[in-house]
Amino acid sequence: MSRYRDVALFFALASLWGGSFVAIEVGLDYYPPVLYAAFRFDVAALVLVSYVLLTESEPLPRTRGDLAAIGFSGGLSVAANNSLLFVGQQYTTSGIASITYSLVPIATAAVAAAWVGGSDLDARGAFGVVLAFVGVGLVAQPDPANLAGGVTIGVGLISIGVLAVAVGSVGLRTVETSFSSIALTGWAMLFGALLIHGLSVGLGEPQQLPVAELPAVGALLFLGVLSSAVAYTIYFTLLDRLGAFEINLVSYVVPVVATVAGAVLLSEPVTPLTVAGFAVIVAGFALLKRHAIADEVPRLLSRVGGLF
């Protein structure tokens, strides 16, 4: 029964994170992008911090390591990443944004190798990283006559956000914390939301209250409650049960969900070059993680076989 539950949770996580890119596209019709990102984490922090305060025995940050972890996660993975994602997604489709975002495991491995050392990044692994970024180049559909506009600029901004996530994730490995991963995520979301609000004001975005129109309310609640608070709770549950390699595979299911949902719900185009770029990114991941894949595939097959 637990195997069925893990599979259901895995695909629920992919659906929630994939759907978030579509919800961003919907909400951008109603809000300035950075303010919209701030609203997302206002809602997420309210839900997750409330949950932590009600259920955790040690819910509050108590050490310098706790504060450093909140800084890495809230400042980089939440604030910098989402500000760039929401701004960048003004220029892209849901599918292209999600495919670009699938670089996160690859970029994290590259940053880890440079910062703390990483066994995956030998010559073939380094080529896998390069190959993945070539795939992003294909997804960006660069126009030599207009490199400063269109999809290219959107993919560029989202890629910088991906690097912020990678640096934040690796930075977390360098500090010790005294509270749970869910508690850390809740406080990081609150800190990140405050930073994003400050950035929105600093950029001169018009400040407004959340919009009451149904599509805007639905998109914001989906982002804040389902694809943030609920999804990250699922993520940490599966991380404990499945391990880092298996849960990272969700990064390659999310773009499929986002691309299909964007095409069906928003009539977004899907070009052959976008599909080819995604395939190249997956090939880069496979090359980078070839040893882990060789070790994990038999176990994954046994899990799947156990379902039938």
Side-chain angles (χ1 to χ4, degrees):
M1 185 62 69
S2 63
R3 290 179 179 178
Y4 288 103
R5 184 184 67 180
D6 289 347
V7 170
L9 288 175
F10 180 91
F11 284 104
L13 179 61
S15 298
L16 294 176
W17 277 351
S20 69
F21 292 93
V22 178
I24 291 171
E25 290 286 344
V26 172
L28 286 173
D29 288 337
Y30 298 90
Y31 300 106
V34 179
L35 180 63
Y36 187 29
F39 282 156
R40 171 186 186 173
F41 288 100
D42 290 340
V43 175
L46 176 63
V47 173
L48 205 53
V49 170
S50 298
Y51 172 80
V52 167
L53 291 174
L54 290 172
T55 61
E56 299 271 346
S57 59
E58 297 288 348
L60 300 175
R62 294 179 292 124
T63 68
R64 290 183 179 179
D66 293 342
L67 296 177
I70 291 171
F72 277 123
S73 187
L76 293 172
S77 298
V78 174
N81 163 47
N82 280 274
S83 297
L84 289 161
L85 171 62
F86 278 61
V87 173
Q89 206 168 323
Q90 295 177 110
Y91 304 95
T92 70
T93 65
S94 306
I96 289 175
S98 63
I99 289 170
T100 307
Y101 210 75
S102 69
L103 272 178
V104 166
I106 299 166
T108 301
V111 171
W115 189 345
V116 298
S119 59
D120 284 331
L121 207 62
D122 54 12
R124 291 184 183 179
F127 180 72
V129 172
V130 173
L131 189 64
F133 278 91
V134 169
V136 169
L138 294 175
V139 171
Q141 304 169 25
D143 178 1
N146 187 25
L147 290 177
V151 175
T152 304
I153 190 67
V155 169
L157 289 170
I158 296 168
S159 297
I160 297 171
V162 165
L163 291 177
V165 173
V167 173
S169 298
V170 176
L172 285 177
R173 303 181 193 179
T174 67
V175 297
E176 294 185 3
T177 60
S178 66
F179 53 5
S180 70
S181 296
I182 293 178
L184 166 60
T185 302
W187 293 114
M189 286 178 173
L190 179 58
F191 178 54
L194 294 174
L195 290 178
I196 300 171
H197 273 293
L199 179 60
S200 175
V201 173
L203 291 173
E205 288 186 340
Q207 302 300 298
Q208 64 183 75
L209 293 174
V211 175
E213 293 183 45
L214 186 58
V217 172
L220 182 57
L221 289 178
F222 184 91
L223 283 172
V225 178
L226 296 179
S227 69
S228 296
V230 173
Y232 276 97
T233 302
I234 294 173
Y235 172 81
F236 288 118
T237 299
L238 290 178
L239 183 63
D240 289 338
R241 293 180 58 82
L242 303 180
F245 175 80
E246 288 186 46
I247 195 59
N248 273 340
L249 294 178
V250 79
S251 297
Y252 300 97
V253 182
V254 165
V256 177
V257 174
T259 301
V260 172
V264 172
L265 299 176
L266 304 179
S267 300
E268 294 180 338
V270 181
T271 69
L273 199 58
T274 299
V275 176
F278 180 52
V280 172
I281 293 171
V282 173
F285 175 81
L287 192 58
L288 174 65
K289 295 292 186 179
R290 64 193 184 282
H291 299 305
I293 291 171
D295 292 338
E296 293 289 339
V297 163
R299 190 160 69 92
L300 287 172
L301 293 176
S302 69
R303 279 179 173 272
V304 173
L307 296 175
F308 302 100

